[in-house]
Amino acid sequence: MAKNILKRAYSRSNIVTFALGLSVAAGATLGGTAAMAAEHPSQQKAVPAAETGKVSTQTLLRVAESQIGVKENAAGGGTPYHSWYMSSPRATETLARDGGGRPQLYANAPWCAMFVSWVGEKAGARTSVGWDAYTVTYADWFKANQRWGTVAKPGSVVFYDWNGAKTTSAIDHVGLVKKDNGDGTITTIEGNTGNGKVEERVRPTSQVVGYGYPEFAA
């Protein structure tokens, strides 16, 4: 079955995207290991250990921190993350999964997930961090690979629902955890914030749906 997605997912704007006309009918795993239905993430294959691309937590966060201040253009695009994603083979895969179209449709799309994916790529940990432009299937990939939980860890991928729901289908936004502050908040690094930038933020854990855990080197 196919659904046109015109609801919250990618970003602060609480829409998946008005341009892409996405569906959640079918998809490939983020590491490109298999094409499976997004509605049945338990059928997705785990990334083999030899392909995990493990790096240190510090390496991943250094790459993320180096991007603080990067800002979108007036159309909501124009970042290095848009350019990289459009030129990647993953863009073709996700478009085929989500209803078709050309990679240029991502040019001004909400970019929080593209930012996290770019960080994983540049840190040398793509197959462990994953890559996608849609936050819901991104979270479902972590769940399918049994790397999902509710504990904030440095370097984990954090998924939010601004209304406090705890289901992946309600996810609004994604970022990277820098630290758990121990007071009901986390410090994060996120792209496509309310200011249209990459920023360090402090967020309440009440808005967190869950965390995806990349496999880090010791």
Side-chain angles (χ1 to χ4, degrees), residues 10 20 22 28-30 81-107 114 117 126 131-134:
Y10 281 99
L20 299 182
L22 299 179
T29 58
L30 298 186
Y81 327 115
H82 290 89
S83 298
W84 165 76
Y85 196 83
M86 286 189 292
S87 66
S88 75
R90 183 60 180 158
T92 301
E93 292 174 358
T94 53
L95 283 167
R97 177 194 71 197
D98 297 333
R102 301 176 62 190
Q104 288 73 19
L105 290 172
Y106 288 112
M114 287 188 274
S117 302
R126 177 212 298 166
W131 53 345
D132 210 312
Y134 179 29

Side-chain angles (χ1 to χ4, degrees), residues 83-152:
S83 298
W84 165 76
Y85 196 83
M86 286 189 292
S87 66
S88 75
R90 183 60 180 158
T92 301
E93 292 174 358
T94 53
L95 283 167
R97 177 194 71 197
D98 297 333
R102 301 176 62 190
Q104 288 73 19
L105 290 172
Y106 288 112
N108 298 313
W111 49 279
C112 57
M114 287 188 274
F115 168 70
V116 173
S117 302
W118 182 95
V119 171
E121 171 82 4
K122 297 304 177 181
R126 177 212 298 166
T127 51
S128 182
V129 174
W131 53 345
D132 210 312
Y134 179 29
T135 55
V136 171
T137 52
Y138 202 168
D140 283 340
W141 177 75
F142 278 109
K143 293 184 76 172
N145 285 288
Q146 299 181 343
R147 292 195 274 122
W148 178 262
T150 58
V151 177

Side-chain angles (χ1 to χ4, degrees), residues 149-217:
T150 58
V151 177
K153 302 176 183 180
S156 58
V157 182
V158 55
F159 295 87
Y160 302 99
D161 173 60
W162 304 136
N163 294 321
K166 300 302 179 184
T167 59
T168 58
S169 62
I171 289 170
D172 292 305
H173 187 59
V174 62
L176 289 164
V177 175
K178 184 174 180 179
K179 65 177 180 177
D180 185 342
N181 299 317
D183 60 358
T185 67
I186 52 175
T187 298
T188 63
I189 303 169
E190 305 169 9
N192 198 31
T193 64
N195 296 318
K197 298 179 181 180
V198 178
E199 294 185 293
E200 184 174 299
R201 288 295 190 98
V202 175
R203 301 280 195 191
T205 55
S206 61
Q207 295 178 331
V208 174
V209 176
Y211 304 91
Y213 303 124
E215 298 181 67
F216 291 111

Side-chain angles (χ1 to χ4, degrees), residues 7-50:
K7 61 183 180 180
R8 59 180 177 264
Y10 281 99
S11 74
R12 67 185 187 279
S13 59
N14 287 346
I15 58 171
V16 173
T17 175
F18 54 87
L20 299 182
L22 299 179
S23 74
V24 295
T29 58
L30 298 186
T33 57
M36 293 290 173
E39 293 177 324
H40 300 285
S42 62
Q43 297 178 14
Q44 296 176 352
K45 294 181 180 179
V47 178

